[in-house]
Amino acid sequence: YLNILLKEKSVSRAADKLGITQPAMSNALRRLRDLLGDPILVRTSSGMAPTERAKKMEPLVVEALSRAEVALQPVKQFDPINSSRTFRIMASDYIEVSLIAPLLGHLNKNAPNVTLDILTPSDASFSDLERGDIDMAINRFDHLPDSFHQRSIWRDNFSCLMGPDHPAKNNLSLVKYLESQHIWVSKTGIGIGTGMSPMHSQKMGWVDEALFELGKKRKITLFTRNYQVAHYLLSTKNLIATIPTRAALVWLNTQGIHIAKPPFPIVPMEIKMAWSPVLHHNVGHKWLRDEIIKLASTIKDKQ
């Protein structure tokens, strides 16, 4: 109202410009006078004229309206071909090899100048994610703050990796599974995590919880947070690593690595993508989220 009044210097013309009645415009002028403690427009021999204060205010009002107009303009669509944005993603090496690696190939074709900065779960905290310092975290989470947005990436079953000389590679029974030595592999959530002990196997994740339900316990030789354990399998004939299937399938065509189905049921694990409300409406961020979801649906989860 103030901007139009100062431009038109007339209540009636300002009312016409705004498409309101003259009494409504007069009421608006009265409210402005009360608010500012200044008449704003005064009657002179040549018509209405702005006061000294109104003259000083006019360029400030125009500038403020101009800034508001820019801010309220529809946000341009994200242009992946020409963008040089860097996205920071927290992910375990399981997600790196099964999802991020094919994502990078996809981006090389569709967003050649976009860069990915991958952090391990130990590099990040929920505070980093909440502030938007990290674009997203992709992992299995025991819990997430209520303020975070999240989408399910996939549910993954489990597979067993064995070396070429493992005696049970062609017939993995529960008895043979329990007779073997095992590599425990897991890195979920976010943060540094805690140390592990074979004394508390029922608390060590999906595989050991499933065995605990059967009244069984496996022999764990190695605890690691790294899913890429193939070199251990090649050198030790009696080791088994039971890991998410999509991580296991990375080794599907690798000589000397045998993949088998676990001889007991294990509840699938759910992988989620989580991000801060700070970035929820960012068009580039939304584009990447959608690309990840579409790509994830194409990654096979069985041999």
Side-chain angles (χ1 to χ4, degrees), residues 13-47:
R13 288 198 301 270
D16 290 340
K17 193 82 171 180
L18 291 171
I20 61 176
T21 64
Q22 184 170 332
M25 192 71 250
S26 296
N27 288 334
L29 176 57
R30 185 173 61 254
R31 290 194 299 271
L32 286 169
R33 285 169 168 168
D34 292 341
L35 177 66
L36 298 174
D38 186 270
I40 300 174
L41 291 174
V42 294
R43 195 174 300 277
T44 68
S45 59
S46 58

Side-chain angles (χ1 to χ4, degrees), residues 7 49 53 92 101 119 135 209 274 283:
K7 281 185 177 180
R53 185 180 181 191
S92 67
L119 296 85
D135 285 279
E209 287 175 1
V283 291

Side-chain angles (χ1 to χ4, degrees), residues 58-70:
E58 186 170 11
L60 301 176
V61 170
V62 171
E63 181 182 2
L65 288 172
S66 177
R67 289 178 180 271
E69 185 177 5
V70 171

Side-chain angles (χ1 to χ4, degrees), residues 83-246:
S83 174
S84 57
R85 180 167 173 173
T86 296
F87 292 98
R88 304 186 74 199
I89 302 174
M90 187 285 287
S92 67
D93 65 308
Y94 152 47
I95 297 301
E96 280 195 81
V97 299
S98 60
L99 179 61
I100 302 299
L103 175 63
L104 185 59
H106 175 76
L107 294 180
N108 284 341
K109 295 179 181 178
N110 299 284
N113 299 311
V114 164
T115 301
L116 299 182
D117 180 11
I118 309 301
L119 296 85
T120 71
S122 298
D123 293 330
S125 68
F126 279 133
S127 295
D128 297 324
L129 192 60
E130 188 172 34
R131 290 193 303 269
D133 293 339
I134 297 173
D135 285 279
M136 63 185 67
I138 305 176
N139 208 340
R140 188 269 186 183
F141 301 99
D142 292 324
H143 72 279
L144 284 169
D146 293 338
S147 62
F148 285 11
H149 294 275
Q150 57 181 288
R151 289 179 74 176
S152 179
I153 296 291
W154 60 46
R155 291 175 67 83
D156 208 351
N157 292 298
F158 287 82
S159 293
C160 297
L161 291 183
M162 293 174 282
D165 300 320
H166 196 288
K169 71 175 186 177
N170 295 317
N171 184 22
L172 183 59
S173 66
L174 180 58
V175 171
K176 291 180 179 178
Y177 184 91
L178 296 174
E179 287 176 349
S180 300
Q181 299 290 323
H182 292 266
I183 300 173
W184 177 96
V185 193
S186 183
K187 181 54 186 172
T188 63
I190 191 167
I192 295 175
T194 58
M196 300 306 299
S197 168
M199 301 299 294
H200 304 98
S201 62
Q202 73 272 21
K203 298 180 180 180
M204 295 193 298
W206 311 271
V207 177
D208 298 285
E209 287 175 1
L211 286 172
F212 182 74
E213 292 296 320
L214 299 174
K216 305 296 183 181
K217 184 177 179 180
R218 60 178 173 166
K219 304 170 186 175
I220 299 174
T221 298
L222 173 68
F223 291 94
T224 179
R225 280 74 180 168
N226 191 322
Y227 285 88
Q228 304 311 298
V229 295
H231 55 292
Y232 296 122
L233 307 176
L234 293 173
S235 60
T236 308
K237 67 178 183 179
N238 202 31
L239 278 175
I240 296 176
T242 307
I243 64 176
T245 296
R246 287 178 177 85

Side-chain angles (χ1 to χ4, degrees), residues 251-272:
W251 306 102
L252 181 60
N253 298 314
T254 302
Q255 185 176 3
I257 300 294
H258 185 78
I259 303 176
K261 184 178 178 180
F264 56 96
I266 306 173
V267 176
M269 65 187 293
E270 183 176 17
I271 298 300
K272 294 182 178 181

